[in-house]
């Protein structure tokens, strides 16, 4: 489907990749991994013809269709969301667009005209797919114009447009940014079931693991391919690096022997000796190979001292019109508390962070902040850096010299080097940075002040996996408080010790466990709710055969009374379990045991209730 041969690209003296070759076959799902600034987005732009390589060629199969989702897509502001999603300039999407508009405006005349045309082309399944994609990506207000869209909404509309088009090959650059958990999981399932080929750049490691059948990595300007998912890639990559290290070590040992032979300068230089001398140059190059590990250095960015009183919230409430964001929220942050925040898009997670920081004011209630607390806020919006400034100016505007809590002093240039901005790149204009580089610079400005309370809103967006690994380790060892909003499941599992779950209508629940534990608990609760609703419907529709009214036998009456007593006991046990689950006091195995037991209790109550209905019917 796609063949890339000997592709080379550089910007001035910066070589991004050198003679790389790879392919994507029909229906294959391929993940592309590389550190920020090493050419992932440039490579995708070259594939789409938006940039040109220095050398090499790209071959697409005949008559295939390709669709591309950039990191920052553009949508025409005068279009509605529906028009933007169906803006594919073909007859089928035009018919569906007109049908949707007629449906929204209850235009019976237009629907009567369009219905036969849609019937003739068998487009009703396509119309259903349009509705499904828009709904699953949270695009419900489809008549709204695009001029006031957030960056996240624009990304979701662009993604919906590609999925609706259903090309032969999808090329996606960070598709999970700005998607909530339900949308990410739906997209995983959709892409896994789809016959479309996929070339994907993402930092979401669970997403890579569950979708991709092959991983290709740009490393040291070369391409390496691994036939398997992300976990398989990690295993084989470690084996490759270990093998390379052994090869270099072996070359160094052999080079010492050959160097000793050359220094002895044998008199007879025959053909064999000349060959040995020529081979020495190649051996010397092999022995001098040194792997350049690309990783930001956060080792000195320790937090300032934080006292016992951190941050306390008392009956805090906030609404926008009829929409409740927070309703009588109370919480006392403990020292070194690391809290994750989850919930659907639009439920108010970012507003909640702004309330804590004083950017927004509550309608009622108040906060008390400890005197030693020093916030570091990392917003999900792109930082308001002047694109005409140079990278080093962003840091020197804060300080020419940075002093760490331990007393060590470093210059602005040294600090940027630790964040992977080499001296020549420090004088580039900010507007030329990639999305990941911009985020890395933003993180640098946040950590300069040595905060002891980190407030991070979607910190994983646009950061590469190498940087995320370092950030995860940093947060895990951080001697301060951390509050994180993120839909990156792997990241949250690594750093969050308990979870604030935003339920909507201002309800916030504190779940005492990891992100994955919460997902298991949430799925279990959803299943139990569905079973309970099904049981109620079964009970309502249950119509046993009518029989002549009579009294219960002694045995039946005894069973009836015993069932009533057992149901009461189970109701008490259920209430007690629900209280424990919502209290936040359970951990680990106790939490899972309580979750399992409450399901068993519900099943027992359902069976007893049905039996009671049968016994009561004999009295009617």
């Amino acid at each position: 489907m796609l063949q890339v041969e000997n592709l080379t690209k550089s910007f001035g003296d910066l070589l991004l990749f050198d003679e790389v070759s790879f392919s994507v076959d029909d229906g294959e799902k391929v993940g592309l991994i590389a550190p920020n600034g090493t050419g992932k987005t440039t490579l995708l732009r070259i594939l789409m013809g938006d940039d040109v390589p220095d050398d090499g060629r790209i071959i697409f199969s005949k008559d295939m269709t390709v669709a591309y989702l950039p990191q920052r897509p553009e949508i025409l502001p005068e279009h509605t969301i529906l028009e933007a999603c169906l803006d594919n300039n073909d007859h089928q999407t035009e018919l569906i667009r007109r049908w949707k508009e007629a449906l929204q405006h209850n235009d019976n005349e237009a629907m009567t005209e369009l219905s036969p045309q849609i019937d003739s082309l068998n487009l009703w399944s396509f119309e259903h797919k349009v509705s499904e994609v828009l709904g699953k990506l949270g695009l419900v207000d489809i008549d709204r114009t695009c001029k006031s869209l957030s960056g996240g909404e624009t990304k979701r509309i662009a993604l919906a447009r590609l999925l609706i088009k259903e090309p032969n090959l999808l090329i996606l650059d960070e598709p999970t940014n700005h998607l909530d958990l339900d949308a990410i999981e739906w997209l995983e399932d959709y892409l896994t079931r789809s016959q479309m080929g996929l070339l994907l750049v993402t930092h979401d490691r669970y997403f890579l693991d569950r979708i991709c059948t092959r991983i290709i990595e740009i490393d040291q300007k070369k391409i390496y391919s691994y036939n398997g998912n992300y976990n398989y890639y990690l295993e084989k990559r470690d084996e490759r690096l270990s093998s390379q290290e052994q090869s270099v070590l072996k070359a160094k040992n052999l080079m010492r022997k050959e160097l000793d032979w050359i220094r002895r300068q044998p008199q007879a230089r025959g053909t064999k000796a000349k060959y040995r001398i020529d081979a020495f140059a190649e051996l010397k190059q092999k022995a001098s190979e040194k792997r350049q590990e690309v990783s930001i250095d956060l080792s000195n960015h320790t937090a300032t001292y934080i006292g016992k009183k951190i941050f306390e919230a008392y009956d805090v409430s906030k609404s926008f019109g009829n929409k409740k964001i927070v309703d009588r929220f109370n919480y006392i942050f403990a020292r070194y508390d690391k809290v994750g925040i989850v919930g659907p898009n639009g439920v108010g997670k970012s507003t909640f962070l702004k309330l804590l920081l004083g950017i927004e004011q509550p309608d009622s209630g108040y906060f008390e902040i400890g005197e030693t607390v020093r916030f570091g806020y990392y917003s999900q919006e792109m930082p308001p850096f002047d694109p005409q400034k140079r990278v080093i100016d962003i840091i020197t505007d804060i300080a020419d010299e940075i002093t760490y809590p331990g007393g060590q002093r470093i210059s602005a240039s040294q600090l940027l080097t630790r964040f992977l901005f080499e001296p020549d790149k420090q004088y580039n204009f900010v507007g030329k940075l990639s999305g990941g580089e911009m985020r890395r610079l933003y993180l640098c400005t946040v950590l300069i002040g040595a905060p002891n309370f980190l407030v991070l809103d979607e910190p994983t967006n646009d950061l590469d996996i190498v940087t995320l690994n370092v950030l995860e380790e940093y947060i895990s060892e951080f001697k301060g408080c951390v509050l994180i909003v993120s839909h990156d499941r792997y990241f949250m599992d690594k750093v969050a010790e308990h979870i604030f779950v935003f339920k909507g209508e201002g309800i916030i629940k504190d779940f005492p466990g990891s992100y994955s534990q919460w997902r298991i608990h949430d799925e279990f609760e959803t299943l139990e709710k569905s079973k309970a609703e099904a049981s109620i419907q079964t009970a309502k529709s249950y119509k046993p055969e009518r029989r002549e009214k009579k009294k219960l036998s002694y045995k039946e009456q005894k069973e009836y009374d015993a069932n009533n007593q057992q149901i009461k006991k189970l109701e008490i046990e259920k209430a007690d379990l629900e209280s424990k689950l919502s209290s936040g006091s359970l951990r680990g195995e106790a939490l899972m045991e309580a979750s399992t037991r409450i399901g068993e209790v519900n099943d027992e109550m359902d069976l007893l209730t049905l039996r009671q209905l049968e016994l009561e019917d004999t009295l009617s």
Side-chain angles (χ1 to χ4, degrees), residues 29-33 40-41 44-45 47-48 66-72 155 158-163 167 169-177 179 187-188 190-192 196-203 207-208 211-212:
K29 310 293 192 293
V30 180
L32 174 61
I33 293 177
K40 299 189 299 294
T41 296
L44 299 189
R45 285 174 52 80
L47 296 181
M48 294 305 300
V66 185
Y68 172 48
L69 178 72
Q71 280 191 25
R72 294 177 186 81
K155 188 75 173 271
L159 177 59
R161 183 165 59 192
L162 299 191
L163 297 180
L169 176 62
L170 267 177
I171 299 179
L172 306 179
D173 197 351
E174 299 291 2
T176 63
N177 283 2
L179 296 186
L187 182 60
E188 279 178 357
Y190 186 93
L191 293 176
T192 300
M196 293 183 290
L198 178 66
L199 180 60
L200 166 74
V201 170
T202 182
H203 63 264
F207 198 78
L208 283 167
I211 288 180
C212 294

Side-chain angles (χ1 to χ4, degrees), residues 203-209 230 465 468-469 472 490-491:
H203 63 264
D204 190 323
R205 288 151 286 185
Y206 281 163
F207 198 78
L208 283 167
D209 201 43
Y230 180 72
I465 292 174
L468 288 179
N469 287 333
E472 286 162 0
Y490 191 98
F491 183 80

Side-chain angles (χ1 to χ4, degrees), residues 574-604:
K574 181 181 177 182
D576 180 56
L577 288 167
E578 288 175 342
S579 176
K580 288 179 179 178
L581 284 168
S582 62
S583 68
S585 60
L586 297 181
R587 291 287 190 278
E589 291 184 6
L591 176 66
M592 299 307 296
E593 288 174 2
S595 297
T596 302
R597 179 56 188 156
I598 200 170
E600 294 170 350
V601 168
N602 283 328
D603 289 342
E604 291 178 37

Side-chain angles (χ1 to χ4, degrees), residues 362-377:
D363 298 333
S364 60
Y366 62 96
F367 297 102
E368 286 187 2
I369 305 172
E371 292 181 0
T372 61
V373 172
R374 183 185 294 182
F375 288 111
Y377 177 43

Side-chain angles (χ1 to χ4, degrees), residues 437-449:
E437 290 170 323
M438 187 83 77
R439 283 285 169 183
R440 213 184 318 128
L441 179 60
Y442 186 24
L443 180 63
C444 179
T445 63
V446 171
L447 297 182
I448 279 179

